[in-house]
Amino acid sequence: MAQLWGGRFQGETDRKAYEFNASIRFDKRLFHQDVRGSVAHVTMLAKQGILSDQEKERILGGLDSIREDVDEGRLEIDDTCEDIHSFVEMHLISRIGDTGKKLHTGRSRNDQVALDMRMYTRERVEETDFLLKELLSVILNTMEENLDTFMPGFTHLQKAQPITLAHHFGAYFEMFWRDRQRMRDIYERMNYCPLGAGALAGTTYPLDREYTAELLGFAGPTLNSMDSVSDRDYLIEFLSALSMVMMHLSRFSEEIIIWNSNEYQFVEIDDAYSTGSSIMPQKKNPDIAELVRGKTGRVYGALVSLLTTMKGIPLAYNKDMQEDKELAFDAMDTVRDCLVLFTEMLRTMKFQKENMALSAMNGFTNATDAADYLVGKGVPFRDAHGIIGRLVLYCVEKKTSIENLALEELKEISDRFEEDIYEAVSLKTCVEKRLTIGAPGADAMKDVIEKYKSFLEESI
Ligand code: ARG
């Protein structure tokens, strides 16, 4: 039971209470951020004459040796200390003696942990942005290769109108692109340094907070010390953005699971990303997509958990806030793993283009275009809608499709039908005539793809 405080206490902490309170088991992942924060703090203290240059050098040397020993496996971050901050400080004191006791001058663990968590989160925001970019480039490649891969577009999971695979994937490009924008927004808003806020009310030492912020790559210092130690908004924003990423991945997974089903056979997931059954030899299951869909729940859980933890906390720091870590770390790791695996699954997935086109041809996805054809021949749209409705009913009864009917049969339903109806309702025409911005026609898609390419180059 090693802790940094105790002067005021007469009794020992209960063993179970100590363990309940300790956070080193999970905050050990903040080790590098903690050391970097201490290096900046000490450098600033020396610049301000609060520490001598000699003291600064001794402390920096000590911190560096601890960092090196941990990195190279000579020093294990075990559970003997209460938290990662105590671990670093205690090892520093045991290595360099009394000078080590000056490290914490003008600092509290409250602003220290606020800094560590913010720096750690900032790195994870960048990592998420990078992984989203990887996914977007796979989506964009698929789009470029499938401008004329026809497939049915659905509403209510019922065939609606024909689209292309490029167009369908474009919808996901948009979603993950917005996710990247969210990363950028969060990064900018959170990029202010809380160190120097002290326990809650700043300090009487003449700290140069702007200098500390600059040393740590922040845009500047935070402006209210109470908020600095008790703000976890940035983390909630990140968890919210991660939840959104998972919601998008989960929708995409659901579609892939449907497309990979025996009934659809639109795609085939590579063996590397499928699994078998222990009893049914024929099975090849889309487990990765199912797991991504399933893990969405735990990421939402982390968001709701932190929102709930924060909602009743009076200013400023309270120990409840230590609960910001475990589930947030789990959510960050989960999203990272899901993005990596999903991207690879997508990269290696095969598209059964013939099945897709066949499916678009059966199911009257050209019914709207047939109505539009009649509009072109002078029939008001509402009447055309009714005529094509009757035509579809006729086809359903005859178990055929519009383009397979003879012109005489068509004329029986409306004398406006001419020979050019066949061309007008062909899959190719139906898709390629849709040329408004955002529509699936290849020429419209090409312009959009050019824009997407330039988006991809942008980063945080
Ligand atoms: N382990 C603590 C946390 O994660 C560090 C801050 C401790 N501060 C305090 N006043 N006990 O929040």
Side-chain angles (χ1 to χ4, degrees):
M1 291 209 285
Q3 48 210 17
L4 293 170
W5 39 272
R8 185 219 182 281
F9 286 75
Q10 286 177 328
E12 282 275 305
T13 320
D14 172 76
R15 176 94 233 166
K16 279 204 169 69
Y18 175 84
E19 282 165 10
F20 189 65
N21 188 51
S23 54
I24 192 137
R25 188 170 44 78
F26 46 85
D27 67 18
K28 62 169 83 168
R29 27 168 128 196
L30 301 177
F31 172 71
H32 283 103
Q33 288 74 16
D34 200 75
V35 170
R36 288 211 312 271
S38 289
V39 167
H41 183 62
V42 165
T43 308
M44 181 276 296
L45 290 178
K47 181 178 102 49
Q48 296 303 92
I50 301 164
L51 291 183
S52 71
D53 281 343
Q54 206 191 0
E55 287 168 330
K56 173 184 89 171
E57 291 310 324
R58 257 182 95 74
I59 295 177
L60 292 186
L63 287 171
D64 207 44
S65 76
I66 296 169
R67 187 192 50 72
E68 220 175 88
D69 286 352
V70 167
D71 281 352
E72 284 162 26
R74 288 189 294 270
L75 175 62
E76 197 204 335
I77 307 177
D78 58 20
D79 291 355
T80 37
C81 290
E82 179 189 342
D83 57 28
I84 193 62
H85 325 297
S86 322
F87 172 87
V88 173
E89 192 173 326
M90 282 178 177
H91 279 275
L92 184 71
I93 294 167
S94 85
R95 283 178 190 211
I96 67 166
D98 280 354
T99 314
K101 296 181 181 166
K102 297 192 172 185
L103 168 67
H104 212 51
T105 312
R107 188 175 72 172
S108 154
R109 276 185 299 166
N110 297 354
D111 60 345
Q112 191 179 357
V113 75
L115 172 75
D116 292 2
M117 199 58 189
R118 216 177 257 241
M119 288 205 293
Y120 182 83
T121 305
R122 192 173 60 168
E123 286 168 32
R124 302 300 302 257
V125 169
E126 283 181 295
E127 174 196 62
T128 310
D129 179 67
F130 173 79
L131 294 174
L132 284 166
K133 186 176 175 183
E134 295 281 298
L135 172 58
L136 284 170
S137 78
V138 172
I139 293 176
L140 196 58
N141 282 342
T142 311
M143 289 175 70
E144 286 192 280
E145 286 164 11
N146 290 286
L147 281 166
D148 53 7
T149 303
F150 301 127
M151 63 180 286
F154 297 86
T155 62
H156 314 271
L157 209 51
Q158 306 274 331
K159 290 180 197 177
Q161 292 175 343
I163 53 160
T164 63
L165 182 59
H167 191 242
H168 199 115
F169 267 48
Y172 286 102
F173 190 100
E174 292 278 341
M175 293 179 228
F176 294 116
W177 170 242
R178 289 194 295 272
D179 287 333
R180 277 196 81 190
Q181 287 175 312
R182 270 184 274 276
M183 294 303 142
R184 198 166 317 170
D185 294 348
I186 292 165
Y187 189 98
E188 268 182 32
R189 209 170 5 262
M190 73 177 286
N191 198 22
Y192 291 87
C193 182
L195 197 62
L200 76 161
T203 103
T204 53
Y205 297 99
L207 306 186
D208 183 345
R209 292 195 57 211
E210 283 179 338
Y211 182 63
T212 312
E214 193 188 313
L215 288 176
L216 293 168
F218 286 99
T222 52
L223 297 182
N224 181 289
S225 59
M226 301 268 281
D227 180 56
S228 305
V229 292
S230 62
D231 164 31
R232 297 295 181 273
D233 288 10
Y234 69 91
L235 191 54
I236 293 175
E237 279 193 51
F238 187 37
L239 292 174
S240 159
L242 289 179
S243 297
M244 198 90 81
V245 170
M246 289 306 293
M247 183 266 285
H248 292 151
L249 283 176
S250 184
R251 290 183 76 177
F252 210 167
S253 293
E254 167 71 4
E255 296 211 282
I256 288 170
I257 293 162
I258 293 173
W259 292 353
N260 187 65
S261 67
N262 304 128
E263 281 69 23
Y264 275 71
Q265 296 185 35
F266 282 9
V267 298
E268 192 180 343
I269 298 174
D270 194 84
D271 281 1
Y273 301 100
S274 311
T275 52
S277 155
S278 60
I279 176 169
M280 297 166 281
Q282 84 283 11
K283 286 283 224 152
K284 198 174 140 188
N285 297 326
D287 289 30
I288 302 297
E290 288 171 4
L291 274 171
V292 170
R293 189 177 58 184
K295 284 177 190 289
T296 303
R298 68 198 264 181
V299 177
Y300 291 2
L303 170 64
V304 174
S305 161
L306 188 54
L307 280 168
T308 313
T309 295
M310 294 302 295
K311 86 178 195 12
I313 302 185
L315 290 177
Y317 180 85
N318 295 261
K319 198 59 176 263
D320 320 40
M321 288 174 170
Q322 180 166 288
E323 285 297 309
D324 67 352
K325 296 183 189 60
E326 276 171 291
L327 295 184
F329 292 154
D330 180 76
M332 296 175 198
D333 294 350
T334 300
V335 176
R336 177 198 57 211
D337 295 349
C338 288
L339 278 171
V340 167
L341 276 155
F342 189 90
T343 301
E344 284 317 303
M345 180 184 71
L346 208 61
R347 198 199 300 279
T348 51
M349 199 163 74
K350 298 268 178 311
F351 297 98
Q352 316 266 44
K353 299 185 187 183
E354 274 178 29
N355 294 347
M356 287 179 165
L358 215 62
S359 168
M361 277 188 277
N362 305 320
F364 306 101
T365 61
N366 55 3
T368 315
D369 296 82
D372 289 342
Y373 168 88
L374 290 178
V375 172
K377 301 280 178 188
V379 182
F381 181 77
R382 191 51 56 219
D383 293 341
H385 186 285
I387 295 168
I388 302 301
R390 288 198 296 283
L391 184 63
V392 167
L393 194 60
Y394 177 77
C395 291
V396 170
E397 278 160 7
K398 281 199 72 177
K399 290 197 171 46
T400 186
S401 55
I402 300 173
E403 62 278 14
N404 286 332
L405 294 177
L407 192 56
E408 299 77 67
E409 286 175 287
L410 287 166
K411 276 191 181 297
E412 265 175 42
I413 292 178
S414 166
D415 58 5
R416 306 292 177 96
F417 284 118
E418 309 281 348
E419 193 55 47
D420 57 353
I421 176 65
Y422 298 105
E423 159 75 24
V425 298
S426 80
L427 198 49
K428 201 167 146 57
T429 314
C430 291
V431 174
E432 292 194 344
K433 277 176 79 177
R434 293 188 144 73
L435 288 173
T436 45
I437 297 172
D443 287 335
M445 286 293 310
K446 277 179 200 153
D447 293 343
V448 167
I449 285 178
E450 283 314 306
K451 290 203 172 74
Y452 288 171
K453 277 186 185 160
S454 65
F455 290 171
L456 262 194
E457 295 320 310
E458 297 171 21
S459 52
I460 285 178

